[in-house]
Amino acid sequence: MAATTLCLQRAGRAISRDLPYKWRTISVQPSHVHFFATGKSPPKPRQYEPEKPLVYSRPKTSQDAAPLPGGPRPKQKQEKQGVVAPYWRLSIGVVLIGSIVYSMFTSPLQLTEAPSIADRDTISKRESGVTEESPMRLRMEALIKEKQNEIVAALQELDPSHKFRTDTWSRPAGGGGISCVQQDGAVFEKAGVNTSIVYGTLPRPAIEKMRVNHKAIDPDVDSLEFFAAGLSLVLHPQNPNAPTVHLNYRYFETMDIDGKCNAWWFGGGTDLTPSYLYDEDAIHFHRSIKDACDKHDREYYPRFKQWCDKYFYIPHRQESRGVGGIFFDDLDIEEKDQEQLFSFVKDCLGSFLPGYLPIIAKRKDMPFGDREKEWQQLRRGRYVEFNLVHDRGTSFGLNTPSARVESILMSLPLTARWMYMHEAEKGSREERTLSVLKQPVEWV
């Protein structure tokens, strides 16, 4: 209604300029509109009132309508309208905006870090799996994990009452591993079957050292990305008549920053370490590994058997660690192509259970006494000496950044013994074992 009245008042003022003078003094109200439409005489004009400005005013309250007795009504304090402290707000805003703009132009550009080779390999395995077309590093990783499961399952059947403890671990730079260990079991005092995957960067000194055996490595770079994968196994039986056995097969490659392989090689082997020598056990073990070698090259077994006898030698004792097996390292494109060597390693891994399980099954329940146990502990002391002083795998593992020491030292026996100036009795079984360890034998 107020809006309608306002419009009519404006219209009335405009029309009144064209009417007779006596009508111009009237104040047009909404009720007079019928005059302009009909031409009839308007109602009696009201007394002239000055026009009021067309602005909004606060509605009057009861206090406004009733002034206080005895005097004029006090003025009401008017509320201020508008922004509080506008100049302070403007000043702060200018400073903040200026700081943001300044930082945009002066701060270094933060780029999103590109995924590492390990990250890209993880995505590839998740999205596409591992096939024959996958990089060799992924195929080797898949192989050793498969064989780890097979070996642990077979060993668990020998002693169902003592479960393997399985630990899965990861490395900050990429990779990780799975450690399966059994301790104080009925068959094995300590048994460990580990897989390890390592991504890292080789410094300049390591590159120069590796170029001695691998000319494909670029000599002009200060660092190189590398990948290493391996399956390591050591079984220390409870019974002194049952031999300790060791196995390790591994793959190593160097890569460009984009993950392209520029040098690669395979290594590994397996060997038997008895406390008491049974010729038939040594013959069976060597024959199993020889059959695997002969599938690929008849020169492999004699060549790698001799390499094993030389590698697992303890110079300060002038004796071998055990009765040997095979050992090889740095087999690359100069030996055979990558697929042929991968197939060779796969067959060697496959020969382990047939070569060792019949031996442990035959010896694990044989009777023994304190003398045999003492001799076993002395021979395990020799095992510790070799591993900590001469073994390159142990040294490499302990010197790798973020190394998992528990997995590396898994190869050590749970117990060992050192006796001052101990000598084996003449003509004893202990003396015969020592004589073979000082002079390697051709078993097959």
Side-chain angles (χ1 to χ4, degrees):
M1 182 64 187
T4 304
T5 302
L6 180 62
C7 292
L8 290 174
Q9 287 176 340
R10 289 180 176 176
R13 287 196 298 270
I15 296 173
S16 66
R17 288 195 298 267
D18 299 328
L19 295 177
Y21 177 79
K22 63 178 181 178
W23 287 359
R24 292 183 186 179
T25 60
I26 68 171
S27 176
V28 179
Q29 300 298 321
S31 59
H32 297 167
V33 176
H34 72 281
F35 167 76
F36 300 106
T38 60
K40 297 181 180 180
S41 298
K44 183 177 180 180
R46 297 172 55 186
Q47 186 65 31
Y48 172 76
E49 296 178 0
E51 293 184 2
K52 297 180 180 179
L54 300 178
V55 297
Y56 173 79
S57 61
R58 181 174 59 87
K60 294 182 179 180
T61 64
S62 58
Q63 293 179 349
D64 297 334
L68 294 175
R73 178 172 56 87
K75 294 183 178 181
Q76 297 293 326
K77 183 177 180 181
Q78 295 183 352
E79 296 182 0
K80 295 183 178 180
Q81 302 294 327
V83 179
V84 177
Y87 294 108
W88 276 104
R89 294 192 177 200
L90 181 61
S91 300
I92 294 173
V94 169
V95 172
L96 289 176
I97 295 173
S99 300
I100 294 172
V101 173
Y102 177 79
S103 65
M104 290 173 61
F105 284 95
T106 59
S107 298
L109 184 61
Q110 300 295 324
L111 299 177
T112 302
E113 186 175 341
S116 65
I117 297 173
D119 293 335
R120 294 198 294 269
D121 282 352
T122 299
I123 294 171
S124 175
K125 287 183 291 185
R126 183 172 61 245
E127 294 181 350
S128 306
V130 179
T131 68
E132 293 183 357
E133 304 302 321
S134 299
M136 181 55 69
R137 58 180 179 269
L138 300 187
R139 296 170 64 190
M140 185 65 179
E141 178 183 348
L143 173 65
I144 61 177
K145 289 181 177 179
E146 175 188 345
K147 292 302 179 181
Q148 181 187 37
N149 291 334
E150 290 180 8
I151 293 171
V152 170
L155 297 178
Q156 190 68 79
E157 289 184 7
L158 291 173
D159 186 6
S161 62
H162 293 80
K163 300 298 182 182
F164 274 82
R165 170 178 173 173
T166 300
D167 293 328
T168 301
W169 48 276
S170 60
R171 300 182 70 255
I178 303 172
S179 298
C180 301
V181 180
Q182 183 191 77
Q183 292 186 154
D184 279 328
V187 177
F188 297 105
E189 183 182 89
K190 187 177 181 184
V193 187
N194 292 354
T195 56
S196 178
I197 310 297
V198 179
Y199 290 84
T201 303
L202 292 173
R204 179 76 181 182
I207 295 172
E208 294 175 351
K209 185 176 180 180
M210 287 184 176
R211 281 206 80 251
V212 174
N213 297 315
H214 306 283
K215 302 303 181 184
I217 296 178
D218 189 349
D220 299 324
V221 296
D222 292 326
S223 64
L224 267 179
E225 299 298 308
F226 79 88
F227 169 89
L231 170 62
S232 297
L233 170 153
V234 179
L235 308 178
H236 295 291
Q238 292 278 15
N239 196 311
N241 294 289
T244 288
V245 68
H246 161 258
L247 170 149
N248 176 274
Y249 290 100
R250 56 193 176 274
Y251 172 76
F252 193 99
E253 75 173 40
T254 61
M255 303 164 286
D256 297 331
I257 193 66
D258 60 356
K260 182 180 179 182
C261 176
N262 52 37
W264 55 267
W265 58 92
F266 290 91
T270 182
D271 63 288
L272 199 67
T273 305
S275 297
Y276 288 98
L277 179 61
Y278 292 89
D279 288 15
E280 60 185 296
D281 294 350
I283 291 170
H284 174 78
F285 184 81
H286 277 263
R287 181 171 290 136
S288 296
I289 194 64
K290 182 179 185 298
D291 290 344
C293 292
D294 288 350
K295 290 181 182 179
H296 300 271
D297 193 321
R298 289 191 173 274
E299 296 297 321
Y300 273 178
Y301 173 75
R303 175 183 163 195
F304 297 155
K305 194 267 183 187
Q306 183 180 7
W307 200 343
C308 181
D309 291 338
K310 182 179 179 180
Y311 180 80
F312 291 104
Y313 184 74
I314 310 173
H316 60 274
R317 296 289 188 180
Q318 296 184 345
E319 63 188 46
S320 297
R321 190 178 75 174
V323 297
I326 64 168
F327 176 85
F328 59 89
D329 202 6
D330 300 317
L331 298 189
D332 57 14
I333 192 63
E334 295 183 4
E335 178 73 34
K336 280 181 170 58
D337 68 41
Q338 197 176 54
E339 288 297 329
Q340 289 176 308
L341 291 174
F342 179 63
S343 178
F344 168 60
V345 168
K346 187 186 300 185
D347 286 339
C348 288
L349 273 168
S351 72
F352 171 73
L353 289 176
Y356 183 73
L357 285 183
I359 297 174
I360 189 65
K362 186 187 301 183
R363 308 296 175 196
K364 66 184 179 67
D365 296 320
M366 290 181 67
F368 63 90
D370 292 341
R371 173 176 172 169
E372 289 79 16
K373 196 66 179 177
E374 179 183 277
W375 177 248
Q376 181 194 53
Q377 298 301 296
L378 288 170
R379 295 313 306 167
R380 286 185 175 167
R382 301 292 199 269
Y383 200 97
V384 172
E385 290 174 21
F386 175 84
N387 278 32
L388 294 183
V389 177
H390 300 293
D391 185 52
R392 294 190 312 186
T394 302
S395 177
F396 175 81
L398 292 176
N399 286 285
T400 300
S402 303
R404 191 172 194 266
V405 177
E406 290 296 326
S407 295
I408 297 168
L409 299 183
M410 171 275 300
S411 62
L412 301 181
L414 192 61
T415 59
R417 186 182 180 96
W418 285 265
M419 294 178 62
Y420 181 71
M421 298 296 290
H422 180 273
E423 292 185 8
E425 184 181 334
K426 295 287 186 180
S428 65
R429 296 174 63 200
E430 292 86 359
E431 185 188 42
R432 180 172 186 268
T433 300
L434 274 179
S435 66
V436 171
L437 297 179
K438 290 183 179 294
Q439 184 62 47
V441 174
E442 298 298 325
W443 297 103
V444 291

